[in-house]
Amino acid sequence: MSPTTLPAGLEHGHVTFLGAGPGDPGLLTLRAVEALANADVLVAEHEVLDVVRQHARPGVAEVHTDTGPDSDAAVGTGAPQLAVVDGASKTAGLPAVRDAAHLVMEAARGGRRVVRAVSGDPGLDAYAAEEMLACAGAGVPFEVVPGVAAAVGVPAYAGVPLRDAQGADVRFVDARTASDRCWTEVGASDGTVVVSTTLDSVGAAAGELVSAGRKPDTPMTVTVAGTTTRQRTWTATLGTIAQTLKQAKVLPSPEGGRPVIAVVGERSAAAQRDQLSWFESKPLFGWRVLVPRTKEQAASLSDQLRSYGAVPHEVPTIAVEPPRTPQQMERAVKGLVTGRYEWIAFTSVNAVKAVREKFEEYGLDARAFAGIKVAAVGEQTAKALIAFGVKPDLVPSGEQSAAGLLEDWPPYDPVFDPIDRVFLPRADIATETLVAGLIELGWEVDDVTAYRTVRASPPPAETREAIKGGGFDAVLFTSSSTVRNLVGIAGKPHNVTVIACIGPATAKTAEEHGLRVDVMAPEPSVHKLAEALAEFGLRRRAAAVEAGDPVTRPSERRPGARRRRSTT
């Protein structure tokens, strides 16, 4: 059979062998993201699916290649037609021999585009090579998208450069398959050795290198969960690494089989790691931060927290629903079209969404704003308008609030303003500050309820338990309502959790609910609030280092421990 002739049922099927990198989704290549967006089926181990699925299109079928007694054959939308085959069974008529290869080819049947994602780089994965050969033998077309290999990416995230200015040799060893001859060769070299091993075999690998000729005092770093916010690195020598891990209580461990990357060598910069550890020294590294906002509102805030090394957990505390009586909103939207208003002012993303949905209901688009001045409070509100095709004419130059908008709002001038009316679509619980200020400036205001805010449903039980039990390191409160609603639906955060508030009013509400405020934003901005929390974390880290104490997260304190009052 020629490579271009496909067996029946495989016409036009295609497989992309894709390297998912060592764990950080941000290390996926542009080509990988493109392939994932076009995939019909994803085939990967569970942990790899977690890395790649966010770039897949909605409705993609997900198939995991590893299986256990309680695992499902496939997850995704609809009834799965693909099966997971393990080495001890025959499922859906597929032989157990070379099961993953058969699984990949079965997924490609009927012209489907399959992405077979593997950890690291496909070229360093022996099983991926076997699957490629199987596809070639069956005439299934495939391509390879390289990924960042763990042996290269993990040391970079650990702050351990593999080469210096002298250009020392770098050897890569997989301790799980290395022969005696391999150990002898790397032991005789004075270059850097990168060892892929498991947490419970680090000591044995170090012993092999010493036996092969490396000095026991040769520097060694060991990194587990590299490139993820669970990353942890230990620095020692070949002779002391086993004791170092034992003192750190990581060996023996029920998870001792976890893969790790160890770097060995005089020139590996292990001794300089305190200066080069850029990832684990981020101000909020590994912190679980609760963000009690809707998913749409929390997106940019969560991205900012990730840049500080945090793991944001979004919990909606309010739900947005249409107004009880839609007639007022309908009349206002019609008034926009007929020229009733000089201005429309949006104070939130939800207001933009409500007007946009009403526009779509009537078959209108951004052109209906022609001739109308548009104001927006806040960067996210302005972005939502721009996404709608509307560029705001007025955004507060100072404080992003109703008061800030009034500072810049022009007074009504009958000579220059042909119409004296403002359309203000807002929530049902909005304050009257903006309405009163606009009236004082001479404007008539149609204050319209565009949406209602109601308390959201409680989060899952495990999230509620983490909130009350100290499982979160910090919580960001962006309004008084987020305080009241979070406590109402999930309970009061544990006393070890750092409480950060956007301003004095929110802080007062938090204190009224028995919470002590550790961080307050210097100005009422969610991004300034995240910055303030990062600065708090940085000071906390610096204090621990100066005192010679290990750097820990707030949630790692003993249960029931009292926190010292912090001032910011």
Coordinates of all heavy atoms in Angstrom, one line a residue, residues 361-454:
E361 N -31.7 41.5 19.6 CA -33.1 41.1 19.6 C -33.9 41.9 18.5 O -34.8 41.4 17.9 CB -33.7 41.3 21.0 CG -35.2 40.9 21.1 CD -35.7 41.2 22.5 OE1 -34.9 41.1 23.5 OE2 -36.9 41.5 22.6
Y362 N -33.5 43.2 18.3 CA -34.2 44.0 17.4 C -33.5 44.0 16.0 O -33.9 44.8 15.1 CB -34.3 45.5 17.9 CG -35.3 45.6 19.0 CD1 -34.9 46.4 20.1 CD2 -36.5 45.0 19.0 CE1 -35.8 46.6 21.2 CE2 -37.4 45.2 20.1 CZ -37.0 46.0 21.2 OH -37.9 46.1 22.2
G363 N -32.4 43.3 15.9 CA -31.7 43.3 14.6 C -30.9 44.5 14.4 O -30.5 44.9 13.2
L364 N -30.5 45.2 15.5 CA -29.6 46.4 15.4 C -28.2 46.0 15.6 O -27.9 45.0 16.1 CB -30.1 47.4 16.4 CG -31.5 47.9 16.4 CD1 -31.9 48.8 17.6 CD2 -31.8 48.7 15.1
D365 N -27.3 47.0 15.2 CA -25.9 46.8 15.5 C -25.3 48.1 15.9 O -26.0 49.1 16.2 CB -25.1 46.2 14.3 CG -25.3 47.0 13.1 OD1 -25.5 48.3 13.2 OD2 -25.2 46.5 11.9
A366 N -24.0 48.2 16.0 CA -23.3 49.4 16.5 C -23.6 50.7 15.7 O -23.5 51.8 16.2 CB -21.8 49.2 16.5
R367 N -24.1 50.6 14.5 CA -24.5 51.7 13.7 C -25.6 52.6 14.3 O -25.7 53.7 14.1 CB -24.8 51.3 12.3 CG -23.7 50.8 11.5 CD -24.1 50.3 10.1 NE -24.8 49.0 10.3 CZ -25.3 48.3 9.3 NH1 -25.0 48.7 8.0 NH2 -25.9 47.2 9.5
A368 N -26.4 51.9 15.2 CA -27.5 52.6 15.9 C -26.9 53.7 16.8 O -27.7 54.6 17.3 CB -28.4 51.6 16.6
F369 N -25.6 53.7 17.2 CA -25.1 54.7 18.1 C -24.6 55.9 17.3 O -24.1 56.9 17.9 CB -23.8 54.1 18.8 CG -24.2 53.2 19.9 CD1 -24.2 51.8 19.7 CD2 -24.6 53.6 21.1 CE1 -24.5 50.9 20.7 CE2 -24.9 52.7 22.2 CZ -24.9 51.4 21.9
A370 N -24.8 56.0 16.0 CA -24.4 57.1 15.2 C -25.0 58.4 15.7 O -26.2 58.5 15.9 CB -24.7 56.9 13.7
G371 N -24.2 59.4 15.9 CA -24.7 60.7 16.4 C -24.9 60.8 17.9 O -25.3 61.8 18.4
I372 N -24.6 59.7 18.6 CA -24.8 59.7 20.1 C -23.5 59.6 20.8 O -22.6 58.8 20.4 CB -25.7 58.5 20.5 CG1 -27.1 58.6 19.9 CG2 -25.8 58.4 22.0 CD1 -27.9 57.3 20.1
K373 N -23.2 60.5 21.8 CA -22.0 60.4 22.5 C -22.1 59.3 23.5 O -23.1 59.0 24.2 CB -21.7 61.7 23.3 CG -21.6 62.9 22.3 CD -21.2 64.2 23.1 CE -21.1 65.4 22.3 NZ -22.5 65.9 21.8
V374 N -20.9 58.5 23.7 CA -20.9 57.4 24.5 C -19.9 57.5 25.6 O -18.7 57.9 25.4 CB -20.6 56.1 23.7 CG1 -20.5 54.9 24.6 CG2 -21.6 55.9 22.6
A375 N -20.3 57.3 26.9 CA -19.4 57.3 28.0 C -19.2 56.0 28.6 O -20.2 55.2 28.6 CB -19.9 58.3 29.1
A376 N -18.1 55.7 29.2 CA -17.8 54.4 29.8 C -17.0 54.5 31.1 O -16.0 55.3 31.1 CB -17.1 53.4 28.9
V377 N -17.4 53.8 32.1 CA -16.6 53.8 33.4 C -15.8 52.5 33.4 O -16.4 51.4 33.4 CB -17.5 53.9 34.6 CG1 -16.7 53.7 35.9 CG2 -18.3 55.2 34.6
G378 N -14.5 52.7 33.5 CA -13.6 51.5 33.6 C -13.1 50.9 32.3 O -13.7 51.0 31.3
E379 N -11.9 50.4 32.4 CA -11.2 49.9 31.2 C -12.0 48.7 30.6 O -12.1 48.6 29.4 CB -9.8 49.4 31.7 CG -9.0 48.8 30.5 CD -7.6 48.2 31.0 OE1 -7.3 48.4 32.2 OE2 -7.0 47.6 30.3
Q380 N -12.5 47.8 31.5 CA -13.2 46.6 30.9 C -14.5 47.0 30.3 O -14.9 46.4 29.2 CB -13.5 45.6 32.1 CG -12.2 45.1 32.7 CD -11.3 44.5 31.7 OE1 -11.7 43.7 30.8 NE2 -10.0 44.8 31.7
T381 N -15.2 48.0 30.8 CA -16.4 48.5 30.1 C -16.1 49.1 28.8 O -16.8 48.8 27.8 CB -17.1 49.6 31.0 OG1 -17.3 49.0 32.3 CG2 -18.4 50.0 30.4
A382 N -15.0 49.9 28.7 CA -14.6 50.4 27.4 C -14.2 49.3 26.4 O -14.5 49.4 25.2 CB -13.4 51.4 27.6
K383 N -13.5 48.3 26.9 CA -13.1 47.2 26.0 C -14.4 46.5 25.5 O -14.4 46.0 24.3 CB -12.2 46.2 26.8 CG -10.8 46.7 26.9 CD -9.9 45.6 27.6 CE -8.5 46.1 27.7 NZ -7.7 45.0 28.3
A384 N -15.4 46.3 26.3 CA -16.6 45.6 25.9 C -17.3 46.4 24.8 O -17.9 45.9 23.9 CB -17.5 45.4 27.1
L385 N -17.3 47.8 25.0 CA -17.9 48.6 23.9 C -17.1 48.5 22.6 O -17.7 48.4 21.5 CB -17.9 50.1 24.4 CG -19.0 50.4 25.4 CD1 -18.8 51.8 26.0 CD2 -20.4 50.4 24.7
I386 N -15.8 48.5 22.7 CA -15.0 48.4 21.5 C -15.2 47.1 20.8 O -15.3 47.0 19.6 CB -13.5 48.6 21.8 CG1 -13.2 50.1 22.3 CG2 -12.6 48.3 20.7 CD1 -11.9 50.3 22.9
A387 N -15.4 46.0 21.6 CA -15.7 44.7 21.0 C -17.0 44.7 20.3 O -17.3 44.0 19.3 CB -15.7 43.7 22.1
F388 N -17.9 45.6 20.7 CA -19.2 45.8 20.1 C -19.2 46.7 18.9 O -20.1 46.7 18.1 CB -20.2 46.4 21.2 CG -21.6 46.5 20.8 CD1 -22.1 45.7 19.8 CD2 -22.5 47.3 21.4 CE1 -23.5 45.8 19.4 CE2 -23.8 47.4 21.1 CZ -24.3 46.6 20.1
G389 N -18.0 47.3 18.7 CA -17.9 48.2 17.5 C -18.1 49.7 17.9 O -18.3 50.5 17.0
V390 N -18.0 50.0 19.2 CA -18.3 51.4 19.6 C -17.1 51.9 20.4 O -16.7 51.3 21.4 CB -19.6 51.5 20.5 CG1 -19.8 52.9 20.9 CG2 -20.8 50.9 19.8
K391 N -16.5 53.0 19.9 CA -15.4 53.7 20.7 C -16.0 54.7 21.6 O -16.7 55.7 21.1 CB -14.4 54.3 19.7 CG -13.2 54.9 20.4 CD -12.2 55.4 19.4 CE -11.0 56.0 20.1 NZ -10.0 56.6 19.1
P392 N -15.7 54.6 22.9 CA -16.3 55.6 23.8 C -15.7 57.0 23.6 O -14.6 57.2 23.3 CB -15.8 55.1 25.2 CG -15.5 53.7 25.0 CD -15.0 53.5 23.6
D393 N -16.6 58.0 23.7 CA -16.2 59.4 23.6 C -15.6 59.9 24.9 O -14.8 60.9 24.9 CB -17.4 60.3 23.2 CG -17.9 59.8 21.8 OD1 -17.3 60.2 20.8 OD2 -19.0 59.2 21.8
L394 N -16.0 59.3 26.0 CA -15.6 59.8 27.3 C -15.4 58.6 28.3 O -16.2 57.8 28.5 CB -16.7 60.7 27.9 CG -16.4 61.2 29.4 CD1 -15.2 62.0 29.4 CD2 -17.6 62.0 29.9
V395 N -14.1 58.6 28.8 CA -13.8 57.6 29.9 C -13.1 58.5 31.0 O -12.3 59.4 30.6 CB -12.8 56.5 29.4 CG1 -12.3 55.7 30.5 CG2 -13.4 55.7 28.3
P396 N -13.5 58.3 32.2 CA -12.9 59.2 33.3 C -11.4 59.2 33.2 O -10.7 58.2 33.0 CB -13.4 58.5 34.6 CG -14.6 57.8 34.2 CD -14.4 57.3 32.8
S397 N -10.8 60.4 33.3 CA -9.4 60.5 33.3 C -8.7 60.2 34.6 O -7.5 59.9 34.7 CB -9.0 62.0 32.9 OG -9.6 62.9 33.8
G398 N -9.5 60.2 35.7 CA -9.0 59.9 37.0 C -9.7 58.6 37.5 O -9.6 57.5 36.9
E399 N -10.3 58.7 38.7 CA -11.0 57.6 39.3 C -12.0 57.0 38.4 O -12.9 57.7 37.9 CB -11.6 58.0 40.6 CG -12.3 56.9 41.4 CD -12.9 57.5 42.7 OE1 -12.2 58.2 43.4 OE2 -14.1 57.2 42.9
Q400 N -12.0 55.6 38.3 CA -12.9 54.9 37.4 C -14.2 54.6 38.2 O -14.4 53.5 38.7 CB -12.3 53.7 36.8 CG -11.1 53.9 35.9 CD -11.5 54.8 34.7 OE1 -12.5 54.5 34.0 NE2 -10.8 55.8 34.4
S401 N -15.0 55.6 38.4 CA -16.2 55.4 39.2 C -17.2 56.5 38.7 O -16.9 57.3 37.8 CB -15.9 55.6 40.7 OG -15.5 57.0 40.9
A402 N -18.4 56.4 39.3 CA -19.4 57.4 38.9 C -18.9 58.8 39.3 O -19.1 59.8 38.5 CB -20.7 57.1 39.7
A403 N -18.3 59.0 40.4 CA -17.7 60.3 40.8 C -16.6 60.7 39.8 O -16.6 61.9 39.4 CB -17.1 60.2 42.2
G404 N -15.8 59.8 39.4 CA -14.8 60.1 38.4 C -15.4 60.5 37.0 O -14.9 61.5 36.4
L405 N -16.5 59.9 36.7 CA -17.1 60.2 35.4 C -17.7 61.7 35.5 O -17.6 62.5 34.5 CB -18.2 59.2 35.1 CG -18.9 59.4 33.7 CD1 -18.0 59.2 32.6 CD2 -20.0 58.3 33.6
L406 N -18.3 62.0 36.6 CA -18.9 63.3 36.8 C -17.9 64.4 36.8 O -18.1 65.5 36.3 CB -19.7 63.4 38.1 CG -21.0 62.6 38.2 CD1 -21.6 62.5 39.6 CD2 -22.0 63.2 37.2
E407 N -16.6 64.1 37.2 CA -15.6 65.1 37.2 C -15.3 65.6 35.8 O -15.0 66.7 35.5 CB -14.3 64.5 37.8 CG -14.3 64.3 39.3 CD -14.2 65.6 40.0 OE1 -13.6 66.6 39.4 OE2 -14.7 65.8 41.2
D408 N -15.4 64.7 34.8 CA -15.1 65.0 33.4 C -16.4 65.3 32.5 O -16.2 65.7 31.4 CB -14.3 63.8 32.8 CG -13.0 63.6 33.4 OD1 -12.5 64.6 34.0 OD2 -12.4 62.5 33.2
W409 N -17.5 65.0 33.1 CA -18.8 65.2 32.3 C -19.1 66.7 32.0 O -19.1 67.5 33.0 CB -19.9 64.5 33.0 CG -21.1 64.3 32.1 CD1 -22.0 65.3 31.6 CD2 -21.6 63.1 31.5 NE1 -22.9 64.7 30.8 CE2 -22.7 63.3 30.7 CE3 -21.1 61.7 31.7 CZ2 -23.4 62.3 30.0 CZ3 -21.8 60.7 31.0 CH2 -22.9 61.0 30.2
P410 N -19.3 67.1 30.8 CA -19.6 68.5 30.5 C -21.0 68.9 31.0 O -21.9 68.1 30.9 CB -19.4 68.6 29.0 CG -19.8 67.2 28.5 CD -19.3 66.2 29.6
P411 N -21.1 70.1 31.4 CA -22.5 70.6 31.8 C -23.3 70.8 30.5 O -22.8 71.0 29.4 CB -22.2 71.9 32.5 CG -20.9 72.4 32.0 CD -20.1 71.1 31.7
Y412 N -24.6 70.7 30.7 CA -25.5 70.9 29.5 C -25.4 72.3 29.0 O -25.5 73.3 29.8 CB -26.9 70.5 29.9 CG -27.9 70.9 28.8 CD1 -27.9 70.2 27.6 CD2 -28.9 71.9 29.0 CE1 -28.8 70.6 26.6 CE2 -29.7 72.3 28.0 CZ -29.7 71.6 26.8 OH -30.6 72.0 25.8
D413 N -25.3 72.5 27.7 CA -25.2 73.8 27.1 C -26.2 73.8 26.0 O -26.1 73.1 25.0 CB -23.8 74.0 26.5 CG -23.6 75.5 26.1 OD1 -24.6 76.1 25.6 OD2 -22.5 76.0 26.2
P414 N -27.3 74.6 26.2 CA -28.4 74.6 25.1 C -27.9 75.1 23.8 O -28.6 74.8 22.8 CB -29.5 75.5 25.7 CG -28.7 76.4 26.8 CD -27.6 75.5 27.3
V415 N -26.8 75.8 23.7 CA -26.3 76.3 22.4 C -25.7 75.1 21.7 O -25.9 75.0 20.5 CB -25.3 77.4 22.6 CG1 -24.7 77.9 21.3 CG2 -26.0 78.6 23.3
F416 N -24.8 74.3 22.4 CA -24.1 73.3 21.7 C -24.7 71.9 21.8 O -24.3 71.0 21.0 CB -22.6 73.2 22.3 CG -21.8 74.5 22.0 CD1 -21.7 75.4 23.1 CD2 -21.3 74.7 20.8 CE1 -21.0 76.5 22.9 CE2 -20.6 75.9 20.6 CZ -20.4 76.8 21.6
D417 N -25.6 71.7 22.7 CA -26.3 70.4 22.9 C -27.7 70.5 22.4 O -28.6 71.0 23.1 CB -26.2 70.0 24.3 CG -24.8 69.9 24.8 OD1 -24.0 69.2 24.2 OD2 -24.5 70.4 25.9
P418 N -28.0 69.9 21.2 CA -29.4 70.0 20.7 C -30.3 69.2 21.5 O -31.5 69.4 21.5 CB -29.2 69.4 19.3 CG -28.0 68.6 19.3 CD -27.1 69.2 20.3
I419 N -29.9 68.2 22.2 CA -30.7 67.3 23.1 C -30.2 67.3 24.5 O -29.0 67.3 24.7 CB -30.8 65.9 22.5 CG1 -31.2 65.9 21.0 CG2 -31.7 65.0 23.3 CD1 -31.0 64.6 20.3
D420 N -31.0 67.3 25.5 CA -30.6 67.4 26.9 C -30.7 66.1 27.7 O -30.7 66.2 28.9 CB -31.4 68.5 27.6 CG -32.8 68.2 27.7 OD1 -33.3 67.2 27.1 OD2 -33.5 69.0 28.4
R421 N -30.9 65.0 27.0 CA -31.3 63.8 27.7 C -30.1 62.7 27.6 O -29.5 62.6 26.6 CB -32.6 63.2 27.1 CG -33.2 62.1 28.0 CD -34.6 61.8 27.5 NE -35.5 62.9 27.8 CZ -36.1 63.2 28.9 NH1 -36.0 62.3 29.9 NH2 -36.9 64.2 29.1
V422 N -30.0 62.0 28.8 CA -29.0 61.0 28.9 C -29.6 59.6 29.2 O -30.5 59.6 30.0 CB -28.0 61.3 30.0 CG1 -26.9 60.1 30.2 CG2 -27.3 62.6 29.8
F423 N -29.2 58.6 28.4 CA -29.7 57.2 28.7 C -28.7 56.5 29.6 O -27.5 56.4 29.3 CB -29.9 56.5 27.3 CG -30.2 55.0 27.5 CD1 -30.8 54.5 28.6 CD2 -30.0 54.2 26.4 CE1 -31.1 53.1 28.7 CE2 -30.3 52.8 26.5 CZ -30.9 52.3 27.6
L424 N -29.2 56.1 30.8 CA -28.3 55.4 31.7 C -28.8 54.0 32.0 O -29.6 53.8 32.9 CB -28.2 56.3 33.0 CG -27.3 55.9 34.1 CD1 -25.8 55.8 33.6 CD2 -27.4 56.8 35.3
P425 N -28.3 53.0 31.3 CA -28.7 51.6 31.6 C -27.9 51.1 32.7 O -26.6 51.0 32.7 CB -28.4 50.9 30.3 CG -27.2 51.7 29.6 CD -27.4 53.1 30.1
R426 N -28.5 50.6 33.8 CA -27.8 50.2 35.0 C -28.4 49.0 35.7 O -29.5 48.5 35.2 CB -27.8 51.4 36.0 CG -27.1 52.6 35.5 CD -26.8 53.6 36.6 NE -28.0 54.0 37.3 CZ -28.0 54.5 38.5 NH1 -26.9 54.7 39.2 NH2 -29.2 54.9 39.1
A427 N -27.8 48.6 36.8 CA -28.3 47.5 37.6 C -29.5 48.0 38.4 O -29.6 49.2 38.7 CB -27.2 46.9 38.5
D428 N -30.3 47.1 38.9 CA -31.4 47.5 39.8 C -31.0 48.0 41.1 O -31.8 48.6 41.8 CB -32.4 46.3 39.9 CG -31.7 45.1 40.5 OD1 -30.5 44.9 40.3 OD2 -32.4 44.2 41.2
I429 N -29.7 47.7 41.5 CA -29.3 48.1 42.9 C -28.3 49.2 42.8 O -27.6 49.5 43.8 CB -28.7 46.9 43.6 CG1 -27.5 46.3 42.8 CG2 -29.7 45.9 43.9 CD1 -26.7 45.3 43.6
A430 N -28.2 49.9 41.6 CA -27.2 51.0 41.5 C -27.5 52.1 42.4 O -28.6 52.4 42.7 CB -27.1 51.4 40.0
T431 N -26.4 52.8 42.8 CA -26.6 54.0 43.7 C -27.0 55.2 42.8 O -27.0 55.2 41.6 CB -25.3 54.4 44.4 OG1 -24.3 54.7 43.4 CG2 -24.8 53.2 45.2
E432 N -27.5 56.3 43.5 CA -28.0 57.4 42.7 C -27.0 58.5 42.5 O -27.3 59.6 42.1 CB -29.2 58.0 43.6 CG -30.3 57.0 43.8 CD -30.9 56.5 42.5 OE1 -31.1 57.3 41.6 OE2 -31.1 55.3 42.4
T433 N -25.7 58.3 42.8 CA -24.7 59.3 42.7 C -24.6 59.9 41.3 O -24.6 61.1 41.1 CB -23.3 58.7 43.1 OG1 -23.4 58.2 44.4 CG2 -22.2 59.8 43.0
L434 N -24.6 59.0 40.3 CA -24.4 59.5 38.9 C -25.7 60.2 38.5 O -25.5 61.3 37.8 CB -24.1 58.3 38.0 CG -23.8 58.6 36.6 CD1 -22.7 59.6 36.5 CD2 -23.5 57.4 35.8
V435 N -26.8 59.7 38.8 CA -28.1 60.4 38.4 C -28.1 61.8 38.9 O -28.4 62.8 38.2 CB -29.3 59.6 38.8 CG1 -30.6 60.3 38.4 CG2 -29.3 58.2 38.1
A436 N -27.9 61.9 40.2 CA -28.0 63.2 40.9 C -26.9 64.2 40.3 O -27.2 65.4 40.1 CB -27.7 63.1 42.4
G437 N -25.7 63.7 40.1 CA -24.7 64.6 39.5 C -25.0 65.0 38.1 O -24.7 66.2 37.8
L438 N -25.6 64.2 37.3 CA -25.9 64.6 35.9 C -27.1 65.6 35.9 O -27.0 66.6 35.2 CB -26.4 63.4 35.1 CG -25.2 62.4 34.7 CD1 -25.8 61.1 34.1 CD2 -24.2 63.1 33.8
I439 N -28.0 65.4 36.8 CA -29.1 66.4 36.9 C -28.6 67.8 37.4 O -29.0 68.8 36.9 CB -30.2 65.9 37.9 CG1 -30.9 64.7 37.3 CG2 -31.2 67.0 38.3 CD1 -31.9 64.0 38.3
E440 N -27.6 67.7 38.3 CA -27.0 69.0 38.8 C -26.3 69.7 37.7 O -26.2 70.9 37.6 CB -26.0 68.7 39.9 CG -25.5 69.9 40.6 CD -24.7 69.6 41.9 OE1 -24.9 68.5 42.4 OE2 -23.8 70.4 42.2
L441 N -25.8 68.9 36.7 CA -25.1 69.5 35.5 C -26.0 70.0 34.4 O -25.6 70.5 33.4 CB -24.1 68.5 34.9 CG -22.8 68.2 35.8 CD1 -22.1 67.0 35.2 CD2 -21.9 69.4 35.8
G442 N -27.3 69.8 34.7 CA -28.3 70.3 33.8 C -28.9 69.3 32.8 O -29.7 69.7 31.9
W443 N -28.6 68.1 33.0 CA -29.1 67.0 32.1 C -30.4 66.4 32.6 O -30.5 66.2 33.8 CB -28.0 66.0 31.8 CG -26.8 66.5 31.2 CD1 -25.7 67.0 31.8 CD2 -26.6 66.6 29.8 NE1 -24.8 67.4 30.8 CE2 -25.3 67.2 29.6 CE3 -27.4 66.3 28.6 CZ2 -24.8 67.4 28.3 CZ3 -26.8 66.5 27.4 CH2 -25.5 67.1 27.2
E444 N -31.2 65.9 31.7 CA -32.3 65.1 32.0 C -31.8 63.6 31.9 O -31.1 63.3 30.9 CB -33.5 65.3 31.1 CG -34.1 66.7 31.1 CD -34.9 66.9 32.4 OE1 -35.4 65.9 33.0 OE2 -35.0 68.0 32.9
V445 N -32.2 62.8 32.8 CA -31.7 61.4 32.8 C -32.8 60.4 32.8 O -33.7 60.4 33.6 CB -30.8 61.2 34.1 CG1 -30.2 59.7 34.1 CG2 -29.7 62.2 34.2
D446 N -32.7 59.4 31.8 CA -33.6 58.2 31.8 C -32.8 57.1 32.5 O -31.9 56.5 31.9 CB -33.9 57.8 30.4 CG -35.0 58.7 29.8 OD1 -35.5 59.6 30.6 OD2 -35.4 58.5 28.7
D447 N -33.0 56.9 33.8 CA -32.3 55.9 34.6 C -33.1 54.6 34.5 O -34.1 54.4 35.0 CB -32.3 56.4 36.1 CG -31.5 55.5 37.0 OD1 -30.7 54.7 36.4 OD2 -31.6 55.6 38.2
V448 N -32.5 53.7 33.6 CA -33.2 52.5 33.2 C -32.6 51.3 33.8 O -31.4 51.1 33.8 CB -33.2 52.4 31.7 CG1 -33.9 51.1 31.2 CG2 -33.9 53.6 31.0
T449 N -33.4 50.4 34.4 CA -33.0 49.1 34.9 C -32.7 48.2 33.7 O -33.7 47.7 33.1 CB -34.0 48.5 35.8 OG1 -34.2 49.4 37.0 CG2 -33.5 47.1 36.3
A450 N -31.5 48.0 33.4 CA -31.1 47.1 32.2 C -30.9 45.7 32.6 O -31.1 44.8 31.8 CB -29.8 47.7 31.6
Y451 N -30.6 45.4 33.9 CA -30.4 44.1 34.4 C -30.6 44.0 35.9 O -30.5 45.1 36.5 CB -29.1 43.5 33.9 CG -27.9 44.3 34.5 CD1 -27.2 43.9 35.7 CD2 -27.4 45.4 33.8 CE1 -26.2 44.7 36.2 CE2 -26.3 46.2 34.3 CZ -25.7 45.8 35.5 OH -24.7 46.5 36.0
R452 N -30.8 42.9 36.4 CA -30.9 42.7 37.8 C -29.8 41.8 38.3 O -29.3 40.9 37.6 CB -32.2 41.9 38.2 CG -33.5 42.7 37.9 CD -34.7 42.0 38.4 NE -34.9 40.7 37.8 CZ -34.9 39.5 38.4 NH1 -34.8 39.4 39.7 NH2 -35.1 38.4 37.7
T453 N -29.3 42.1 39.5 CA -28.2 41.3 40.1 C -28.8 40.5 41.2 O -29.5 41.1 42.1 CB -27.1 42.2 40.6 OG1 -27.6 43.2 41.5 CG2 -26.4 42.9 39.4
V454 N -28.6 39.2 41.2 CA -29.1 38.4 42.3 C -28.0 37.5 42.8 O -27.0 37.4 42.2 CB -30.3 37.4 41.8 CG1 -31.5 38.2 41.3 CG2 -29.7 36.5 40.6

